[in-house]
Amino acid sequence: MASFSFGSLLLLSAVFRLGLIFYGEWQDAHMEVRYTDVDYIVFSDAASLMASGKSPYLRSTYRYSPLLAFLLIPNSIFHRCWGKILFSASGQLLQAAFWYGLVVHFRIYPIIYALPILLILNPNLFKSGMNPALQKWSQHDEKAPQRNLQSRLACIFSPWFLLKSIMTKERILFGLISGLVFIFCTALFYYLYGWEFLHEALLYHLTRTDPRHNFSIYFYHIYLHHELEFSVVEKLISFLPQLVVQLVLILSFAEDLPFCWFAQTVAFVAFNKVITAQYFVWFFCLLPLILPWSKMKLKWKGVFSVSIWTGAQLHWLMWGYLLEFKGKNVLIQLWMASIMFLAANTTVLTLIIHQHKLSALFMLPNSTADKTKKSN
């Protein structure tokens, strides 16, 4: 298998992404179905309003941080592709906490990563004045995956351990910094744009219902009751499966942090009330981080996983196209396609979990690792 340097991979990925941007411009100009997501047009319109000194929330359906519109102002000055290039380009505890707070401000969903991040900041790994060592990132190194991961997980998630170490300096520091960054950004834009910002950028996403462009199994129920107010019980029922699955995944895989994030994101998207195609990027970007630890080969299981996920999505898109572009009454068929898509996501995630070699992200210090071996 050919190997590439990190610089070569970056160059290759940049060329590939530029090629997709150019192709997207061509498809938008010549085909009925646009390549560019409608949200990008919303972003650009909001940026144009901000460039003229107006509120980005004058653009209907703009429900994001004003910071995003600010970054896309060059769309209306130089070229509309500026934002596409920006999006495609896009270690220390303090730095990690700062960026995490900023990311949650941008898009609220990364809040689901808070618990596994805090759990992995345990005193056995983050000793005072020491940086934990990362595991070797190679599927060919048999010594890299720690075989005692299950015993480590049992220790870390035991009630006594949690009570004893939950308020460590590292966890408090991470929580304070990320929380303050989030609160500062939120307070700043609330001062500039008032309640409109708070509702559109943050609160709206907690109660969002979307009767169109929605892969979710809740799609048909939302469509039938879109004009009515949903009860508290209905909202709780839709969040409950998501919450239970998240807790199970976190408590099972938190030590293997990249894999935990990947599994969390797939499950979060699959069980969400609203699913659009752009949500798939959330877990696709994490896939390269877990592939070196996967025992799944492209032949058979790999092909099967790709086939059922792609097939279920294409099946849904067929009915979606007939509904939205051709005006056919295929709502029941579209809802059934949503159920099949959830089944496909669940099947693929289960296969990936079974084929994954669990490996702690950080190596235990020698003294701690020796004690763990003796106890086994």
Side-chain angles (χ1 to χ4, degrees):
M1 183 177 177
S3 60
F4 296 91
S5 67
F6 186 65
S8 299
L9 286 174
L10 288 179
L11 180 61
L12 194 63
S13 64
V15 171
F16 179 69
R17 293 180 184 197
L18 284 174
L20 287 176
I21 291 172
F22 289 132
Y23 169 76
E25 290 295 302
W26 178 87
Q27 180 172 324
D28 289 347
H30 296 91
M31 298 180 69
E32 180 183 15
V33 180
R34 293 176 60 86
Y35 179 88
T36 304
D37 190 86
V38 67
D39 279 350
Y40 185 76
I41 300 171
V42 174
F43 300 159
S44 300
D45 292 346
S48 180
L49 286 167
M50 183 173 275
S52 60
K54 300 176 182 177
S55 168
Y57 297 106
L58 292 176
R59 175 46 161 105
S60 62
T61 73
Y62 182 77
R63 298 187 174 98
Y64 307 90
S65 168
L67 194 55
L68 178 59
F70 176 77
L71 292 173
L72 296 189
I73 286 177
N75 271 23
S76 56
I77 299 175
F78 301 112
H79 194 275
R80 63 186 180 185
C81 282
W82 161 263
K84 296 181 182 180
I85 296 171
L86 181 67
F87 292 154
S88 68
S90 23
Q92 298 281 336
L93 180 66
L94 299 182
Q95 293 177 19
F98 172 83
W99 289 114
Y100 182 70
L102 194 62
V103 165
V104 173
H105 169 76
F106 261 110
R107 296 301 298 267
I108 196 69
Y109 87 89
I111 194 70
I112 65 174
Y113 306 140
L115 184 55
I117 290 173
L118 291 176
L119 286 175
I120 205 171
L121 295 177
N122 70 73
N124 285 334
L125 294 172
F126 291 83
K127 294 186 179 298
S128 179
M130 293 176 58
N131 288 326
L134 289 169
Q135 289 284 8
K136 294 180 180 178
W137 201 48
S138 171
Q139 65 183 134
H140 302 295
D141 187 353
E142 293 298 327
K143 295 181 180 179
Q146 290 195 0
R147 296 183 177 87
N148 61 353
L149 179 59
Q150 295 298 334
S151 61
R152 288 179 62 182
L153 286 170
C155 172
I156 287 174
F157 298 124
S158 66
W160 170 245
F161 185 91
L162 287 174
L163 288 173
K164 182 180 177 181
S165 63
I166 196 167
M167 299 299 286
T168 62
K169 182 183 75 173
E170 290 78 13
R171 285 174 177 151
I172 294 172
L173 192 60
F174 186 94
L176 280 175
I177 292 173
S178 58
L180 286 172
V181 169
F182 176 81
I183 291 171
F184 171 79
C185 292
T186 303
L188 173 64
F189 291 119
Y190 179 73
Y191 172 77
L192 294 174
Y193 299 105
W195 172 257
E196 191 176 25
F197 151 71
L198 205 60
H199 176 265
E200 298 291 348
L202 297 175
L203 301 179
Y204 169 79
H205 296 282
L206 298 177
T207 58
R208 179 183 180 186
T209 55
D210 193 342
R212 302 179 63 192
H213 320 293
N214 191 353
F215 288 82
S216 172
I217 58 170
Y218 301 107
F219 152 76
Y220 193 49
H221 181 76
I222 291 172
Y223 174 82
L224 293 176
H225 301 84
H226 186 58
E227 301 299 327
L228 304 175
E229 181 68 25
F230 288 93
S231 67
V232 175
V233 174
E234 287 176 307
K235 294 176 181 178
L236 285 176
I237 289 174
S238 64
F239 275 115
L240 190 59
Q242 216 174 19
L243 177 63
V244 171
V245 172
Q246 288 295 313
L247 288 175
V248 170
L249 292 172
I250 290 169
L251 296 178
S252 300
F253 306 120
E255 278 278 278
D256 192 343
L257 198 58
F259 183 72
C260 184
W261 286 352
F262 174 82
Q264 277 185 273
T265 311
V266 173
F268 179 82
V269 171
F271 288 90
N272 205 30
K273 284 188 302 181
V274 177
I275 308 171
T276 62
Q278 61 173 302
Y279 289 16
F280 305 147
V281 179
W282 297 355
F283 54 82
F284 279 154
C285 66
L286 296 170
L287 195 57
L289 298 178
I290 70 166
L291 287 179
W293 305 116
S294 179
K295 296 176 286 185
M296 185 182 294
K297 304 299 180 183
L298 184 60
K299 189 174 181 179
W300 305 129
K301 287 184 179 178
V303 170
F304 174 73
S305 298
V306 172
S307 298
I308 63 170
W309 190 86
T310 306
Q313 184 181 170
L314 290 174
H315 177 243
W316 188 98
L317 290 172
M318 178 188 72
W319 297 113
Y321 175 79
L322 291 175
L323 174 67
E324 297 191 17
F325 286 86
K326 300 302 181 183
K328 304 287 186 181
N329 185 9
V330 291
L331 289 166
I332 296 294
Q333 294 91 326
L334 191 62
W335 178 52
M336 296 300 294
S338 297
I339 295 174
M340 290 178 62
F341 190 57
L342 174 62
N345 275 282
T346 305
T347 302
V348 171
L349 180 58
T350 303
L351 280 171
I352 291 174
I353 289 173
H354 283 301
Q355 295 297 312
H356 183 75
K357 294 185 289 186
L358 282 174
S359 174
L361 178 63
F362 299 112
M363 291 189 291
L364 284 172
N366 290 333
S367 58
T368 310
D370 293 339
K371 289 179 183 178
T372 308
K373 287 181 181 178
K374 289 178 181 178
S375 64
N376 291 335

